[in-house]
Coordinates of all heavy atoms in Angstrom, one line a residue:
E1 N 80.7 92.4 145.4 CA 81.8 91.5 144.8 C 81.7 91.3 143.3 O 82.8 91.2 142.7 CB 81.9 90.2 145.6 CG 82.4 90.4 147.1 CD 82.6 89.1 147.8 OE1 82.9 88.2 147.1 OE2 82.4 89.2 149.1
E2 N 80.5 91.3 142.8 CA 80.4 91.1 141.4 C 81.0 92.3 140.7 O 81.6 92.1 139.6 CB 79.0 90.9 141.0 CG 78.5 89.5 141.4 CD 76.9 89.4 141.0 OE1 76.5 90.1 140.1 OE2 76.3 88.5 141.6
N3 N 80.9 93.5 141.2 CA 81.4 94.7 140.5 C 83.0 94.6 140.4 O 83.5 95.0 139.4 CB 81.0 95.9 141.3 CG 79.6 96.3 141.1 OD1 78.9 95.8 140.2 ND2 79.0 97.1 142.0
K4 N 83.6 94.1 141.4 CA 85.1 93.9 141.4 C 85.4 93.1 140.3 O 86.4 93.3 139.5 CB 85.6 93.4 142.7 CG 85.6 94.3 143.9 CD 86.2 93.8 145.1 CE 86.1 94.7 146.3 NZ 86.7 94.1 147.4
E5 N 84.7 92.0 140.1 CA 85.0 91.0 138.9 C 84.9 91.8 137.6 O 85.8 91.7 136.7 CB 84.1 89.8 138.9 CG 84.8 88.6 138.9 CD 83.8 87.4 139.0 OE1 83.3 87.0 138.1 OE2 83.6 86.9 140.3
E6 N 83.9 92.6 137.4 CA 83.6 93.3 136.2 C 84.8 94.3 136.0 O 85.3 94.5 134.9 CB 82.3 94.0 136.2 CG 81.1 93.1 135.9 CD 79.8 93.8 136.0 OE1 79.8 95.0 135.7 OE2 78.8 93.1 136.3
E7 N 85.1 95.0 137.1 CA 86.2 96.0 136.8 C 87.5 95.3 136.5 O 88.2 95.9 135.7 CB 86.4 96.7 138.3 CG 85.3 97.7 138.5 CD 85.5 98.3 140.0 OE1 86.6 98.2 140.6 OE2 84.5 98.9 140.4
T8 N 87.8 94.2 137.0 CA 89.0 93.5 136.7 C 89.0 93.1 135.1 O 90.0 93.3 134.5 CB 89.1 92.1 137.4 OG1 89.1 92.5 138.9 CG2 90.4 91.3 137.1
V9 N 87.8 92.6 134.7 CA 87.7 92.3 133.3 C 87.9 93.5 132.4 O 88.6 93.5 131.4 CB 86.4 91.6 133.0 CG1 86.1 91.4 131.5 CG2 86.3 90.3 133.7
I10 N 87.3 94.6 132.8 CA 87.4 95.8 132.0 C 88.8 96.3 132.0 O 89.4 96.7 131.0 CB 86.4 96.9 132.6 CG1 85.0 96.5 132.2 CG2 86.7 98.3 131.9 CD1 83.9 97.4 132.9
G11 N 89.4 96.3 133.2 CA 90.8 96.7 133.3 C 91.7 95.9 132.4 O 92.6 96.5 131.8
K12 N 91.5 94.6 132.3 CA 92.3 93.7 131.5 C 92.1 94.1 130.1 O 93.1 94.2 129.3 CB 91.9 92.2 131.7 CG 92.7 91.3 131.0 CD 92.3 89.9 131.3 CE 93.1 88.8 130.3 NZ 92.6 87.5 130.5
E13 N 90.9 94.3 129.7 CA 90.5 94.7 128.3 C 91.3 96.0 128.0 O 91.9 96.2 126.9 CB 89.1 94.8 128.0 CG 88.5 93.4 127.9 CD 87.0 93.5 127.9 OE1 86.4 94.6 127.8 OE2 86.3 92.4 127.8
E14 N 91.2 97.0 128.8 CA 91.8 98.4 128.6 C 93.3 98.2 128.5 O 93.9 98.8 127.7 CB 91.5 99.3 129.8 CG 90.0 99.7 129.8 CD 89.7 100.6 130.9 OE1 90.5 100.8 131.8 OE2 88.6 101.1 131.0
K15 N 93.9 97.3 129.3 CA 95.4 97.0 129.3 C 95.7 96.5 127.9 O 96.7 97.0 127.3 CB 95.8 96.1 130.4 CG 97.3 96.0 130.4 CD 97.7 95.0 131.6 CE 99.2 94.8 131.5 NZ 99.6 93.6 132.1
E16 N 95.0 95.5 127.5 CA 95.2 94.8 126.1 C 95.1 95.9 125.1 O 95.8 95.9 124.1 CB 94.4 93.7 126.0 CG 94.7 92.5 126.8 CD 93.7 91.3 126.8 OE1 92.7 91.5 126.0 OE2 94.0 90.3 127.5
S17 N 94.0 96.8 125.2 CA 93.8 97.7 124.1 C 95.0 98.7 124.1 O 95.4 99.1 123.1 CB 92.5 98.4 124.4 OG 92.3 99.5 123.6
S18 N 95.5 99.1 125.3 CA 96.6 100.0 125.4 C 97.8 99.4 124.8 O 98.6 100.1 124.1 CB 96.8 100.4 126.8 OG 98.0 101.2 127.0
E19 N 98.0 98.2 125.1 CA 99.3 97.5 124.6 C 99.2 97.4 123.0 O 100.1 97.6 122.2 CB 99.4 96.0 125.1 CG 99.9 96.1 126.5 CD 99.8 94.7 127.2 OE1 99.4 93.7 126.6 OE2 100.1 94.8 128.4
Q20 N 98.0 97.1 122.4 CA 97.8 97.1 121.0 C 98.0 98.4 120.3 O 98.6 98.6 119.4 CB 96.3 96.6 120.7 CG 96.2 95.1 121.0 CD 94.7 94.7 120.8 OE1 93.8 95.5 120.7 NE2 94.5 93.3 120.8
N21 N 97.5 99.5 121.0 CA 97.7 100.9 120.5 C 99.2 101.3 120.5 O 99.8 101.8 119.6 CB 97.0 101.9 121.5 CG 95.5 101.8 121.1 OD1 95.0 101.3 120.1 ND2 94.7 102.5 122.0
T22 N 99.9 100.8 121.6 CA 101.4 101.1 121.7 C 102.0 100.3 120.5 O 103.0 100.9 119.9 CB 101.9 100.7 123.0 OG1 101.3 101.3 124.0 CG2 103.4 100.8 123.2
Q23 N 101.7 99.1 120.2 CA 102.2 98.4 119.1 C 102.0 99.0 117.8 O 102.9 99.1 117.0 CB 101.9 96.8 119.2 CG 102.6 96.0 118.2 CD 102.3 94.6 118.4 OE1 102.0 94.1 119.5 NE2 102.4 93.8 117.3
L24 N 100.8 99.5 117.7 CA 100.4 100.1 116.4 C 101.2 101.3 116.1 O 101.7 101.6 115.1 CB 98.9 100.4 116.4 CG 98.3 100.9 115.1 CD1 98.5 99.9 114.0 CD2 96.8 101.2 115.2
K25 N 101.3 102.1 117.2 CA 102.1 103.4 117.1 C 103.5 103.0 116.8 O 104.2 103.7 116.0 CB 102.0 104.1 118.4 CG 100.8 104.8 118.5 CD 100.6 105.6 119.9 CE 99.2 106.2 120.0 NZ 98.9 106.7 121.4
G26 N 104.1 102.0 117.4 CA 105.5 101.5 117.1 C 105.6 101.0 115.7 O 106.6 101.4 115.0
E27 N 104.6 100.3 115.1 CA 104.6 99.9 113.8 C 104.6 101.0 112.8 O 105.4 101.2 111.9 CB 103.5 99.0 113.4 CG 103.6 97.6 114.0 CD 102.3 96.8 113.7 OE1 101.5 97.2 112.9 OE2 102.2 95.7 114.3
E28 N 103.7 102.1 113.1 CA 103.7 103.3 112.3 C 105.0 104.0 112.3 O 105.4 104.5 111.2 CB 102.5 104.1 112.8 CG 101.2 103.6 112.6 CD 100.0 104.3 113.2 OE1 100.4 105.3 114.0 OE2 98.9 103.9 113.1
K29 N 105.6 104.1 113.5 CA 106.8 104.9 113.5 C 108.0 104.1 112.8 O 108.8 104.8 112.1 CB 107.3 105.1 115.0 CG 108.6 105.8 115.2 CD 108.8 106.1 116.7 CE 110.1 106.9 116.8 NZ 110.4 107.3 118.3
A30 N 108.0 102.8 112.9 CA 109.0 102.0 112.3 C 108.8 102.1 110.8 O 109.9 102.3 110.0 CB 108.9 100.5 112.6
I31 N 107.6 102.1 110.3 CA 107.4 102.2 108.8 C 107.8 103.7 108.4 O 108.5 103.8 107.4 CB 106.0 102.0 108.6 CG1 105.7 100.4 108.6 CG2 105.6 102.4 107.1 CD1 104.3 100.0 108.6
Q32 N 107.4 104.7 109.1 CA 107.8 106.0 108.7 C 109.4 106.1 108.7 O 109.9 106.8 107.8 CB 107.2 107.1 109.8 CG 107.5 108.5 109.4 CD 106.9 108.8 108.0 OE1 105.8 108.4 107.7 NE2 107.7 109.5 107.3
M33 N 110.1 105.6 109.7 CA 111.5 105.7 109.7 C 112.1 104.9 108.6 O 113.1 105.3 107.8 CB 112.1 105.1 111.0 CG 111.9 106.1 112.2 SD 112.4 105.3 113.7 CE 114.1 105.1 113.5
A34 N 111.5 103.8 108.2 CA 112.0 103.0 107.0 C 111.8 103.8 105.7 O 112.6 103.7 104.8 CB 111.3 101.6 107.0
K35 N 110.6 104.4 105.6 CA 110.4 105.3 104.4 C 111.4 106.4 104.2 O 111.8 106.6 103.1 CB 108.8 105.8 104.5 CG 107.8 104.8 104.2 CD 106.4 105.4 104.2 CE 105.4 104.5 103.8 NZ 104.0 105.1 103.8
E36 N 111.6 107.0 105.4 CA 112.7 108.1 105.3 C 114.0 107.5 104.9 O 114.8 108.1 104.2 CB 112.8 108.8 106.6 CG 111.6 109.6 107.0 CD 111.5 110.1 108.4 OE1 112.5 110.0 109.1 OE2 110.4 110.7 108.7
E37 N 114.4 106.3 105.4 CA 115.7 105.7 105.1 C 115.7 105.3 103.6 O 116.7 105.4 102.9 CB 115.9 104.5 106.0 CG 117.2 103.8 105.8 CD 118.4 104.5 106.3 OE1 118.2 105.5 107.2 OE2 119.6 104.2 106.0
W38 N 114.5 104.6 103.1 CA 114.4 104.1 101.7 C 114.4 105.3 100.9 O 115.2 105.3 99.8 CB 113.1 103.4 101.6 CG 112.9 102.8 100.3 CD1 111.9 103.1 99.4 CD2 113.7 101.7 99.7 NE1 112.0 102.3 98.3 CE2 113.1 101.5 98.4 CE3 114.8 101.0 100.0 CZ2 113.6 100.5 97.5 CZ3 115.3 100.0 99.1 CH2 114.7 99.8 97.9
A39 N 113.6 106.3 101.0 CA 113.6 107.6 100.3 C 113.5 107.5 98.8 O 113.6 108.5 98.1 CB 114.9 108.4 100.6
I40 N 113.1 106.3 98.2 CA 112.9 106.2 96.7 C 111.5 105.9 96.4 O 111.0 104.9 96.9 CB 113.8 105.0 96.2 CG1 115.2 105.2 96.6 CG2 113.7 105.1 94.7 CD1 116.0 103.9 96.3
S41 N 110.8 106.9 95.8 CA 109.5 106.7 95.3 C 108.6 105.9 96.3 O 108.1 104.7 96.0 CB 109.4 105.9 94.0 OG 110.2 106.7 93.0
V42 N 108.5 106.3 97.5 CA 107.8 105.5 98.6 C 106.4 105.0 98.2 O 105.9 104.1 98.7 CB 107.9 106.2 99.9 CG1 109.3 106.3 100.4 CG2 107.1 107.5 99.9
N43 N 105.8 105.8 97.3 CA 104.4 105.4 96.9 C 104.5 104.2 96.0 O 103.4 103.6 95.7 CB 103.7 106.6 96.2 CG 103.5 107.7 97.1 OD1 103.3 107.6 98.4 ND2 103.4 108.9 96.7
S44 N 105.6 103.8 95.4 CA 105.7 102.6 94.6 C 106.0 101.4 95.4 O 106.1 100.3 94.8 CB 106.7 102.8 93.6 OG 106.5 103.9 92.8
Y45 N 106.2 101.5 96.6 CA 106.5 100.3 97.5 C 105.5 100.2 98.6 O 104.9 101.2 99.2 CB 107.9 100.5 98.0 CG 109.0 100.5 96.9 CD1 109.3 101.8 96.3 CD2 109.6 99.3 96.4 CE1 110.2 101.7 95.3 CE2 110.5 99.4 95.4 CZ 110.8 100.6 94.8 OH 111.6 100.6 93.7
D46 N 105.4 98.9 99.1 CA 104.7 98.7 100.3 C 105.7 98.5 101.5 O 106.7 97.9 101.3 CB 103.9 97.4 100.1 CG 102.7 97.5 99.2 OD1 102.0 98.6 99.3 OD2 102.3 96.6 98.5
F47 N 105.3 98.9 102.7 CA 106.1 98.8 103.8 C 105.3 98.0 104.9 O 104.2 98.4 105.3 CB 106.6 100.1 104.4 CG 107.4 100.9 103.5 CD1 106.8 101.6 102.4 CD2 108.8 101.0 103.6 CE1 107.7 102.3 101.5 CE2 109.7 101.7 102.8 CZ 109.1 102.3 101.8
D48 N 105.8 96.8 105.3 CA 105.1 96.0 106.3 C 106.0 95.8 107.4 O 107.2 95.4 107.4 CB 104.8 94.7 105.6 CG 104.0 93.7 106.6 OD1 103.1 94.3 107.2 OD2 104.3 92.5 106.7
A49 N 105.5 96.1 108.6 CA 106.3 96.0 109.9 C 105.8 94.8 110.8 O 104.6 94.7 110.9 CB 106.3 97.3 110.7
K50 N 106.7 94.2 111.4 CA 106.3 93.2 112.5 C 107.3 93.3 113.7 O 108.5 93.5 113.4 CB 106.2 91.8 111.9 CG 107.5 91.2 111.6 CD 107.4 89.7 111.1 CE 108.8 89.1 110.8 NZ 108.6 87.8 110.4
L51 N 106.7 93.1 114.8 CA 107.5 93.3 116.0 C 108.3 92.1 116.2 O 107.8 90.9 116.1 CB 106.5 93.5 117.3 CG 107.1 93.6 118.6 CD1 107.9 95.0 118.7 CD2 106.1 93.6 119.7
I52 N 109.6 92.3 116.3 CA 110.5 91.1 116.5 C 111.3 91.1 117.9 O 112.0 90.2 118.2 CB 111.5 91.0 115.3 CG1 112.5 92.2 115.2 CG2 110.9 90.7 114.0 CD1 113.6 92.1 114.3
G53 N 111.1 92.3 118.6 CA 111.8 92.3 119.9 C 111.3 93.6 120.6 O 110.4 94.2 120.2
D54 N 111.9 93.7 121.8 CA 111.5 94.9 122.6 C 111.6 96.2 121.9 O 112.8 96.7 121.8 CB 112.1 94.9 124.0 CG 111.7 96.0 124.9 OD1 110.6 96.4 124.8 OD2 112.5 96.5 125.7
G55 N 110.6 96.8 121.3 CA 110.8 98.1 120.5 C 111.4 97.9 119.1 O 111.7 98.9 118.6
I56 N 111.6 96.7 118.8 CA 112.4 96.5 117.4 C 111.4 95.9 116.5 O 110.8 94.8 116.7 CB 113.6 95.6 117.7 CG1 114.6 96.3 118.6 CG2 114.2 95.3 116.3 CD1 115.7 95.3 119.1
Y57 N 111.3 96.4 115.3 CA 110.4 96.0 114.3 C 111.2 95.7 113.0 O 112.3 96.4 112.7 CB 109.4 97.1 113.9 CG 108.4 97.4 115.0 CD1 108.7 98.2 116.0 CD2 107.2 96.8 115.0 CE1 107.8 98.4 117.0 CE2 106.3 97.0 116.0 CZ 106.6 97.8 117.0 OH 105.7 98.0 118.0
Q58 N 110.9 94.6 112.3 CA 111.4 94.4 111.1 C 110.5 94.9 110.0 O 109.3 94.6 110.0 CB 111.6 92.8 110.7 CG 112.2 92.5 109.4 CD 112.5 91.1 109.2 OE1 111.5 90.4 109.1 NE2 113.7 90.7 109.2
V59 N 111.1 95.8 109.2 CA 110.2 96.4 108.1 C 110.6 95.9 106.8 O 111.9 96.0 106.4 CB 110.3 98.0 108.2 CG1 109.5 98.6 107.1 CG2 109.9 98.5 109.5
I60 N 109.7 95.3 106.1 CA 110.1 94.8 104.7 C 109.5 95.7 103.7 O 108.3 96.0 103.7 CB 109.5 93.4 104.6 CG1 110.1 92.3 105.6 CG2 109.7 92.8 103.1 CD1 109.5 91.0 105.7
V61 N 110.3 96.1 102.8 CA 110.0 97.0 101.7 C 109.8 96.1 100.5 O 110.6 95.4 100.1 CB 111.1 98.0 101.4 CG1 110.7 98.9 100.2 CG2 111.5 98.7 102.6
S62 N 108.5 96.1 99.9 CA 108.1 95.3 98.8 C 107.7 96.1 97.6 O 107.1 97.1 97.7 CB 107.0 94.3 99.1 OG 107.3 93.6 100.2
N63 N 108.1 95.7 96.5 CA 107.6 96.4 95.1 C 106.2 96.2 95.0 O 105.7 94.9 95.1 CB 108.5 95.8 94.0 CG 108.3 96.5 92.8 OD1 107.2 97.0 92.4 ND2 109.3 96.6 91.9
K64 N 105.4 97.2 94.8 CA 104.0 97.0 94.6 C 103.6 96.2 93.4 O 102.5 95.5 93.4 CB 103.3 98.4 94.6 CG 103.0 99.0 95.9 CD 102.2 100.3 95.9 CE 102.0 100.8 97.3 NZ 101.2 102.0 97.3
T65 N 104.3 96.3 92.3 CA 104.0 95.6 91.1 C 104.1 94.1 91.2 O 103.2 93.4 90.7 CB 104.7 96.2 89.9 OG1 106.2 96.1 90.2 CG2 104.3 97.6 89.6
D66 N 105.1 93.7 91.8 CA 105.4 92.1 91.8 C 105.5 91.6 93.2 O 105.8 90.5 93.4 CB 106.6 91.7 90.9 CG 107.9 92.3 91.5 OD1 107.9 92.9 92.6 OD2 108.9 92.2 90.7
T67 N 105.2 92.5 94.2 CA 105.4 92.1 95.7 C 106.6 91.5 96.1 O 106.7 90.9 97.1 CB 104.1 91.2 96.1 OG1 104.2 90.0 95.4 CG2 102.8 91.9 95.8
R68 N 107.7 91.6 95.3 CA 109.0 91.1 95.7 C 109.6 92.1 96.7 O 109.7 93.3 96.6 CB 109.9 91.1 94.4 CG 111.3 90.6 94.5 CD 111.9 90.5 93.2 NE 111.9 91.8 92.4 CZ 112.8 92.7 92.6 NH1 113.9 92.5 93.3 NH2 112.7 93.8 91.9
A69 N 110.2 91.4 97.8 CA 110.8 92.1 98.7 C 112.2 92.7 98.2 O 113.0 92.0 97.6 CB 111.2 91.3 100.0
V70 N 112.4 94.0 98.5 CA 113.6 94.6 97.9 C 114.5 95.1 98.9 O 115.7 95.4 98.7 CB 113.3 95.8 96.9 CG1 112.6 95.3 95.7 CG2 112.4 96.8 97.6
A71 N 114.0 95.2 100.2 CA 114.9 95.6 101.3 C 114.2 95.3 102.5 O 112.9 95.1 102.7 CB 115.1 97.2 101.3
K72 N 115.1 95.1 103.5 CA 114.6 94.8 105.0 C 115.4 95.7 105.9 O 116.6 95.8 105.8 CB 114.9 93.3 105.3 CG 114.0 92.3 104.7 CD 114.3 90.9 105.1 CE 113.6 89.9 104.4 NZ 113.9 88.5 104.8
Y73 N 114.7 96.2 106.9 CA 115.3 97.0 107.9 C 114.9 96.5 109.3 O 113.7 96.1 109.5 CB 114.8 98.5 107.8 CG 115.2 99.2 106.6 CD1 114.3 99.4 105.5 CD2 116.4 99.7 106.3 CE1 114.7 100.1 104.3 CE2 116.9 100.4 105.2 CZ 116.0 100.5 104.2 OH 116.3 101.2 103.1
N74 N 115.8 96.6 110.2 CA 115.5 96.4 111.6 C 115.5 97.7 112.2 O 116.5 98.5 112.2 CB 116.5 95.5 112.3 CG 116.2 94.0 112.0 OD1 115.3 93.6 111.4 ND2 117.1 93.2 112.6
V75 N 114.3 98.1 112.7 CA 114.1 99.6 113.3 C 113.8 99.4 114.7 O 112.8 98.8 115.1 CB 112.9 100.2 112.5 CG1 112.7 101.6 113.0 CG2 113.0 100.1 111.1
N76 N 114.6 100.1 115.5 CA 114.4 100.2 116.9 C 113.7 101.5 117.3 O 114.3 102.6 117.1 CB 115.8 100.1 117.7 CG 115.5 100.1 119.3 OD1 114.6 100.7 119.7 ND2 116.4 99.3 119.9
V77 N 112.4 101.5 117.5 CA 111.7 102.8 117.7 C 112.0 103.5 119.1 O 111.7 104.7 119.1 CB 110.1 102.6 117.6 CG1 109.8 102.1 116.1 CG2 109.6 101.5 118.6
K78 N 112.7 102.8 119.9 CA 112.9 103.4 121.1 C 114.3 104.2 121.1 O 114.3 105.3 121.6 CB 113.2 102.3 122.3 CG 111.9 101.7 122.7 CD 112.1 100.6 123.8 CE 110.8 100.0 124.2 NZ 111.0 99.0 125.3
T79 N 115.3 103.7 120.4 CA 116.5 104.4 120.3 C 116.7 105.1 118.9 O 117.5 105.8 118.6 CB 117.7 103.4 120.4 OG1 117.6 102.4 119.3 CG2 117.8 102.6 121.6
E80 N 115.6 104.8 118.1 CA 115.5 105.4 116.7 C 116.8 105.1 115.8 O 117.2 105.8 115.0 CB 115.4 106.9 116.8 CG 114.0 107.3 117.4 CD 113.7 108.7 117.2 OE1 114.4 109.5 116.7 OE2 112.5 109.1 117.6
V81 N 117.3 103.8 116.0 CA 118.3 103.2 115.1 C 117.7 102.3 114.1 O 116.8 101.5 114.4 CB 119.3 102.5 116.1 CG1 120.4 101.7 115.2 CG2 120.0 103.4 117.0
I82 N 118.1 102.5 112.9 CA 117.7 101.7 111.8 C 118.9 101.0 111.2 O 119.9 101.7 110.9 CB 116.8 102.5 110.8 CG1 116.3 101.6 109.8 CG2 117.6 103.8 110.3 CD1 115.2 102.4 108.9
V83 N 118.7 99.7 110.9 CA 119.8 98.9 110.3 C 119.2 98.1 109.1 O 118.3 97.4 109.2 CB 120.4 97.9 111.3 CG1 121.5 97.1 110.6 CG2 120.9 98.7 112.5
E84 N 119.8 98.3 107.9 CA 119.4 97.6 106.7 C 120.1 96.2 106.9 O 121.1 96.0 107.2 CB 120.0 98.2 105.5 CG 119.4 97.6 104.2 CD 119.7 98.4 103.0 OE1 120.4 99.4 103.1 OE2 119.3 97.9 101.9
Q85 N 119.2 95.2 106.5 CA 119.5 93.8 106.6 C 120.0 93.3 105.3 O 119.6 93.7 104.3 CB 118.3 93.0 107.1 CG 117.9 93.4 108.5 CD 118.9 93.2 109.6 OE1 119.4 92.1 109.8 NE2 119.3 94.3 110.2

């Protein structure tokens, strides 16, 4: 019976790890889509994504020199729709 408890704990950790990986992949995809939409000297800007809904990330484009936000996009990584805010 002790083994069942350990398996449950490991299974839970694996599930959380899988969810984190899915979110990380979603963030990466959202940032990549925003970079393609922005298309202006992407190396001069920082792109930061945060999950705001089911498969929807808000990506903020900031100027690297003064960290001022210059654009915001809502990116749906499931439908691949991007909307500038």
Side-chain angles (χ1 to χ4, degrees):
E1 288 186 28
E2 283 181 28
N3 287 344
K4 285 183 182 177
E5 236 175 81
E6 284 179 25
E7 286 175 17
T8 302
V9 171
I10 291 169
K12 182 180 176 187
E13 287 173 359
E14 286 175 359
K15 183 180 178 203
E16 288 172 359
S17 177
S18 176
E19 288 170 1
Q20 288 171 348
N21 287 341
T22 300
Q23 184 170 336
L24 185 60
K25 288 177 184 166
E27 285 178 12
E28 290 170 0
K29 183 173 181 178
I31 288 172
Q32 186 58 43
M33 289 174 62
K35 283 182 176 181
E36 291 170 9
E37 183 75 16
W38 181 247
I40 307 168
S41 304
V42 292
N43 294 332
S44 300
Y45 297 89
D46 286 323
F47 295 79
D48 184 44
K50 69 175 181 179
L51 185 64
I52 60 170
D54 183 29
I56 301 171
Y57 293 83
Q58 182 179 65
V59 179
I60 298 173
V61 183
S62 303
N63 190 323
K64 279 189 179 180
T65 54
D66 63 10
T67 66
R68 182 176 51 91
V70 292
K72 287 182 187 176
Y73 295 103
N74 282 357
V75 180
N76 187 323
V77 296
K78 291 181 178 181
T79 61
E80 297 192 352
V81 172
I82 183 166
V83 179
E84 187 170 1
Q85 299 299 300

